[in-house]
Amino acid sequence: MLKNILKGIKAYAGTFALISKLKLWKYFLVPVLISVLTAAIIVLLAIWLSGSIGGFIAQIWIWDWGKETFTTVSNFIGATVIVVIGLLLYKHIVMALSAPFMSPVSEKIEAHLTGIPAHSHTNTSFSEQLWRGIRINVRNLAKEILFTIPILLLGFIPVIGVASTILLFLMQAYYAGFGNIDYTLERHFNYKESIAFVKNNRGLAIGNGIVFMLFLFVPLVGIILVLPLSVTAATVKTVEILKNETLVVKK
């Protein structure tokens, strides 16, 4: 697992040069716009709602003593909840809506790496790519929410709370990597087969997603570069695995 996580991280090396070499930057214009707008909306909602959620939680404390301290803690909890939900929604919204634009990028990278023309794989239309992107990301969002709630609750337990933060980050990374990998898988596998592929390559998904998530903490530049670099890195490693599996089958 750890070895594959490192492979997923190392795959980012050379992605900038590969995008430039294949002249792919133009394909990222719409996804980058989607990314920036989505991030802006979520940040504005976070600013607006964090205080309200904090105030709601603060009402639990009915005593006068310690009220100010509990209110401060409540506001922090409210902000944390908003950030977690914001990250959850951000990546799935962006990945789902960007699917029709990322798939052609993945195709061109795969054609470059394998020498096999993109049209030799399964052809899908814009609407089919969008629908698959929505389907995959809605499924992943539901799974993430299901796992996030108990992990957040663990965060209130002393000592274990630190572990819950790490678990939360790794889980978000996994599903981010999942989405990036699927832009390549949609040409090779159906919905269920793709899910099975990612489960068998969890380390790769986590490694790719770790860098994806870290990019989101870099103001503005992060949300501009996160998709181009993460999708390119995911495609390179996914194509490598698919090539190796094909060679094994032929033998």
Side-chain angles (χ1 to χ4, degrees):
M1 174 74 82
L2 181 59
K3 183 179 179 181
N4 288 330
I5 289 175
L6 292 175
K7 283 183 179 180
I9 294 173
K10 290 178 180 178
Y12 280 82
T15 51
F16 202 99
L18 182 59
I19 294 171
S20 299
K21 180 180 180 180
L22 299 181
K23 300 178 180 178
L24 299 175
W25 290 111
K26 60 185 177 182
Y27 293 95
F28 295 110
L29 292 177
V30 174
V32 166
L33 181 60
I34 292 172
S35 180
V36 171
L37 288 176
T38 303
I41 291 171
I42 288 175
V43 168
L44 290 174
L45 285 174
I47 294 172
W48 179 49
L49 291 175
S50 60
S52 299
I53 293 176
F56 177 76
I57 296 173
Q59 291 178 8
I60 299 173
W61 193 268
I62 58 175
W63 302 275
D64 291 330
W65 61 272
K67 184 73 174 178
E68 186 176 340
T69 301
F70 189 78
T71 299
T72 301
V73 173
S74 298
N75 287 335
F76 175 76
I77 294 173
T80 301
V81 170
I82 289 296
V83 168
V84 171
I85 294 174
L87 288 173
L88 279 173
L89 293 176
Y90 167 81
K91 66 176 184 289
H92 291 300
I93 290 172
V94 171
M95 285 181 168
L97 297 182
S98 298
F101 306 98
M102 294 296 95
S103 292
V105 170
S106 178
E107 282 184 17
K108 291 182 181 299
I109 294 172
E110 182 172 358
H112 169 73
L113 295 174
T114 63
I116 302 173
H119 63 260
S120 65
H121 301 298
T122 303
N123 288 319
T124 51
S125 65
F126 182 97
S127 59
E128 288 171 332
Q129 291 166 353
L130 179 60
W131 169 241
R132 174 167 171 132
I134 292 173
R135 188 182 180 192
I136 283 286
N137 282 281
V138 167
R139 179 255 182 199
N140 287 349
L141 175 60
K143 288 271 188 179
E144 257 191 283
I145 292 173
L146 182 65
F147 296 135
T148 294
I149 294 173
I151 292 176
L152 280 175
L153 292 176
L154 283 175
F156 292 103
I157 303 175
V159 182
I160 297 178
V162 177
S164 73
T165 302
I166 296 172
L167 280 175
L168 200 60
F169 179 81
L170 292 177
M171 183 188 66
Q172 292 226 13
Y174 170 71
Y175 284 108
F178 193 131
N180 289 326
I181 291 171
D182 192 63
Y183 294 134
T184 299
L185 297 182
E186 64 96 13
R187 293 188 299 280
H188 299 272
F189 301 131
N190 62 32
Y191 177 78
K192 290 185 178 180
E193 291 170 341
S194 295
I195 292 174
F197 179 95
V198 178
K199 284 182 178 179
N200 290 332
N201 295 277
R202 285 189 181 91
L204 175 62
I206 293 172
N208 179 272
I210 285 174
V211 182
F212 180 101
M213 295 302 297
L214 291 176
F215 261 109
L216 298 185
F217 293 100
V218 181
L220 191 58
V221 176
I223 59 174
I224 290 175
L225 292 178
V226 65
L227 269 179
L229 300 186
S230 62
V231 171
T232 301
T235 301
V236 169
K237 296 308 295 183
T238 304
V239 169
E240 181 183 306
I241 293 172
L242 292 173
K243 283 174 66 178
N244 290 337
E245 288 183 351
T246 300
L247 290 173
V248 170
V249 171
K250 285 182 178 180
K251 289 180 180 180

